[in-house]
Amino acid sequence: QVQLVESGGGSVQAGGSLTLSCAASGFTYSSNCMGWFRQAPGKVREVVARLSAGSGTRYYADSVKGRFTIFRDNSKNTLFLQMKSLKVEDTATYYCAARLAAGCSNARFPNEYIYWGQGTQVAVSS
């Protein structure tokens, strides 16, 4: 059974940091493109960062470049999202997701990912 379980969300003041984790099981995690998405109330789900398997190429949304870092620990089947200099507009539910492909170069939309976690909430206050 495939599972993606996010953790690490919480409440933080603007300028603060959080690191999200996503524990994966039930599939060949190390061979899959993995992504972090977020969805704020009333808004569409948007990709934040994605990480290709193999090449390790990272892609970031312009809104988080220089502040967020996506990385993975294949030995622990865990994906991470380190978030620094958080802004109020980063407030959302964050989801990790997996593609049935190694590459992430064009995988910017939710329908390109097959496995999803339940989400973890991040609230940034001013």
Side-chain angles (χ1 to χ4, degrees):
Q1 181 181 1
V2 172
Q3 278 196 312
L4 294 175
V5 181
E6 301 98 334
S7 61
S11 297
V12 64
Q13 287 195 319
S17 301
L18 283 172
T19 298
L20 307 182
S21 301
C22 171
S25 61
F27 66 104
T28 311
Y29 165 82
S30 61
S31 301
N32 295 76
C33 159
M34 299 294 295
W36 284 99
F37 286 75
R38 67 186 180 187
Q39 188 166 17
K43 295 191 175 181
V44 299
R45 191 169 297 190
E46 62 175 359
V47 68
V48 173
R50 53 201 201 276
L51 176 56
S52 292
S55 69
T57 304
R58 295 171 171 84
Y59 306 86
Y60 296 97
D62 288 343
S63 59
V64 306
K65 274 181 185 175
R67 300 188 298 121
F68 290 13
T69 302
I70 185 172
F71 60 101
R72 65 201 297 169
D73 183 340
N74 287 342
S75 68
K76 297 181 179 178
N77 282 6
T78 303
L79 180 73
F80 300 92
L81 184 68
Q82 184 183 58
M83 306 185 294
K84 297 181 178 179
S85 303
L86 282 161
K87 303 177 180 180
V88 172
E89 51 264 42
D90 294 319
T91 296
T93 299
Y94 284 71
Y95 301 88
C96 71
R99 267 195 106 193
L100 283 182
C104 290
S105 60
N106 296 316
R108 292 176 293 151
F109 300 102
N111 62 3
E112 297 177 272
Y113 294 76
I114 190 168
Y115 302 133
W116 289 86
Q118 81 291 346
T120 186
Q121 291 193 331
V122 172
V124 185
S125 58
S126 59

